[in-house]
Amino acid sequence: MKPKIPIQGFLLSRYAYPTTASPLICAHRRYATTSSKLSAPSPPGQRWWLRLTLITVTAAGIGAYARWVQDSSSGSTTLNPVRFTPYSLVSREPVSSTGSIFTLKPPKPDVSNLEVYEAAQQAGVWSVMFKQPQLQIGRDYTPLPPVPPDAGEECLRFFIRKDPFGEVSRYLHSLNIGAPIEVRGPRIECEIPPETQTVLFIAGGTGIAPALQAGHTLLRRTDQIHRPTIHILWATRQREDCRGGYNEPTSATLSDARRPWLSRVFGSSRAAAAPPTETRTSSDMSPIVREIEALKSQYPGQVSVEYFVDEENTFIGKRSILDFTTSTVSSPELSKRNMILVSGPEGFISYMAGPKQWAEGMELQGPLQGIIRELHLQDWAVWKL
Ligand SMILES: Cc1cc2nc3c(=O)[nH]c(=O)nc-3n(C[C@H](O)[C@H](O)[C@H](O)COP(=O)(O)OP(=O)(O)OC[C@H]3O[C@@H](n4cnc5c(N)ncnc54)[C@H](O)[C@@H]3O)c2cc1C
């Protein structure tokens, strides 16, 4: 289980912010003096300059402090990784009985927010932290990619699962519309290098949010020469979580005879069967499935999704992974271009790729284990989110 992280001291103890967020973080460098004693008294001209420098530095310090105090008391309007910014809850749209899409808006219009989101979105998968003010604890959440109606409005949207025993998710689901929610970030969870061509995203539950983010980051790099692709394996507990989602006729639905030989060796549950396509309308789809479909229409042929539903006894297994990886061109020199990302509850990540590890207050990737390791895949970089 993830340790509870008190708000104070979080920045120093839990994660080092990656350099990609650097526009938001000022590097403070302190120079050490070489000696506390000067070997000879400075000449009068030098002392005058020293005094002037001291006064200037002190004045600048007081100015900066005053600005900081003013900023802190008025509340920052731009999302930043150092201080919490008071957003407010604009809407909460149910996706299923266990999860909703939350839309949050910043305290006042501030175009700098768009620049902050854009920088993070270009880099890869990113998250922000929400504060639970009564308990003074924070939890990370992944913004969904922007959709056209929200563009320019600086709103952030999140798909949040309600854990009946979870402190922060329960708190968030109990808030009234208009309630304040303090947010800090962004933090880049995983950079998607520019040379990446293929992503296999293995998502459990709300892990679909970073999958959509990864899709947007990757696919917006499409040009005349590059046509990156993303294949998402999404496992949910109930059908209602992915209502209206259907499995395309990928290799997973081909006859066994046409299946890559290796995948035939590993038996695993097949993805949920496709409902008749012609009967599907957008109102039949859960909001998340609608977003997946929108991404598919925006980038035809570059996005594919397979759905797995616990209550229908369909699970992501070795075969689902191999069906995709064996159909992808790979070679050692292409290894930087193929990524497997795994996101979801801790148990899900452990099963797929082994647990992440904590060391010296930081969460680390830990060794590759789980079923992905057993597949001995060559030329794929694996990242646990
Ligand atoms: C980078 C990142 C991005 C994320 N993005 C999202 C997202 O977009 N959407 C989303 O819904 N979630 C996301 N999460 C998960 C999220 O941060 C929270 O972990 C989740 O909402 C649960 O938090 P909570 O405070 O409600 O539950 P917690 O209070 O942390 O409890 C979690 C579970 O542990 C159990 N538990 C608590 N204490 C104990 C104990 N002492 N012994 C045994 N069991 C215990 C609880 O019963 C509960 O079932 C993300 C996590 C990370 C790290």
Side-chain angles (χ1 to χ4, degrees):
M1 205 198 82
K2 194 166 62 168
K4 289 202 190 303
I5 306 298
I7 297 297
Q8 280 174 1
F10 172 83
L11 267 179
L12 294 173
S13 65
R14 196 177 177 204
Y15 293 103
Y17 280 92
T19 49
T20 35
S22 58
L24 308 165
I25 303 167
C26 302
H28 298 287
R29 189 175 290 168
R30 242 193 288 155
Y31 291 95
T33 55
T34 49
S35 167
S36 57
K37 276 190 198 164
L38 295 174
S39 52
S42 357
Q46 221 174 316
R47 277 206 298 271
W48 185 83
W49 275 109
L50 200 67
R51 240 178 261 142
L52 187 68
T53 311
L54 256 171
I55 292 165
T56 315
V57 168
T58 311
I62 292 169
Y65 177 72
R67 273 197 305 279
W68 182 80
V69 169
Q70 197 185 2
D71 238 34
S72 310
S73 56
S74 63
S76 165
T77 57
T78 308
L79 180 69
N80 72 90
V82 181
R83 273 192 305 273
F84 282 95
T85 303
Y87 278 62
S88 58
L89 180 60
V90 176
S91 67
R92 187 171 43 224
E93 182 190 6
V95 170
S96 67
S97 58
T98 55
S100 300
I101 293 181
F102 286 63
T103 303
L104 271 58
K105 75 165 189 219
K108 56 183 181 190
D110 177 353
V111 282
S112 322
N113 274 317
L114 296 179
E115 290 162 22
V116 173
Y117 307 160
E118 173 61 18
Q121 185 72 59
Q122 270 183 20
V125 177
W126 59 291
S127 69
V128 296
M129 173 178 272
F130 288 10
K131 179 167 42 168
Q132 207 286 25
Q134 288 119 22
L135 298 174
Q136 288 288 305
I137 53 173
R139 293 284 184 267
D140 302 311
Y141 294 97
T142 312
L144 289 165
V147 288
D150 284 345
E153 285 180 18
E154 305 156 44
C155 284
L156 286 177
R157 299 174 317 124
F158 302 86
F159 175 30
I160 299 180
R161 181 174 174 271
K162 183 179 178 180
D163 183 331
F165 306 104
E167 298 288 5
V168 177
S169 66
R170 211 158 29 103
Y171 163 79
L172 293 171
H173 279 84
S174 72
L175 290 175
N176 292 325
I177 302 303
I181 299 180
E182 294 200 63
V183 183
R184 184 171 72 184
R187 186 177 65 215
I188 309 299
E189 298 292 338
C190 167
E191 282 189 52
I192 301 182
E195 59 273 22
T196 309
Q197 279 303 300
T198 310
V199 169
L200 170 61
F201 204 114
I202 306 177
T206 54
I208 192 66
L212 285 165
Q213 260 193 4
H216 271 258
T217 300
L218 183 73
L219 300 173
R220 62 190 290 180
R221 296 176 186 161
T222 302
D223 58 27
Q224 305 279 11
I225 304 163
H226 303 106
R227 260 175 70 82
T229 54
I230 182 167
H231 184 64
I232 301 173
L233 305 175
W234 184 24
T236 59
R237 290 169 206 243
Q238 298 144 311
R239 169 55 69 183
E240 60 164 346
D241 296 324
C242 61
R243 203 180 60 254
Y246 70 99
N247 293 328
E248 292 145 83
T250 60
S251 54
T253 52
L254 295 174
S255 70
D256 271 357
R258 291 176 58 202
R259 225 176 257 284
W261 72 269
L262 202 50
S263 72
R264 270 178 272 147
V265 174
F266 301 104
S268 73
S269 301
R270 290 247 193 116
T277 316
E278 63 280 6
T279 57
R280 290 184 328 132
T281 64
S282 131
S283 60
D284 294 337
M285 295 177 198
S286 91
I288 296 292
V289 172
R290 274 206 296 275
E291 303 219 0
I292 292 171
E293 290 301 312
L295 194 64
K296 281 188 192 167
S297 334
Q298 197 179 348
Y299 299 98
Q302 291 172 264
V303 189
S304 49
V305 184
E306 281 178 73
Y307 297 87
F308 301 81
V309 184
D310 286 5
E311 67 180 6
E312 295 171 3
N313 287 323
T314 56
F315 305 101
I316 301 174
K318 291 179 181 173
R319 177 187 280 178
S320 343
I321 298 170
L322 281 174
D323 272 335
F324 183 72
T325 54
T326 50
S327 66
T328 304
V329 181
S330 69
S331 68
E333 62 275 16
L334 296 184
S335 61
K336 275 188 172 168
R337 297 171 56 174
N338 296 336
M339 285 182 94
I340 297 180
L341 303 178
V342 187
S343 176
E346 276 172 9
F348 179 85
I349 293 178
S350 297
Y351 175 74
M352 294 293 164
K356 290 195 269 181
Q357 287 178 350
W358 286 87
E360 294 174 10
M362 299 217 314
E363 192 173 48
L364 308 172
Q365 284 287 294
L368 178 64
Q369 294 170 348
I371 62 171
I372 297 179
R373 181 181 173 182
E374 289 166 23
L375 292 175
H376 301 290
L377 300 175
Q378 302 291 313
D379 317 328
W380 289 82
V382 179
W383 191 267
K384 308 170 205 174
L385 283 160

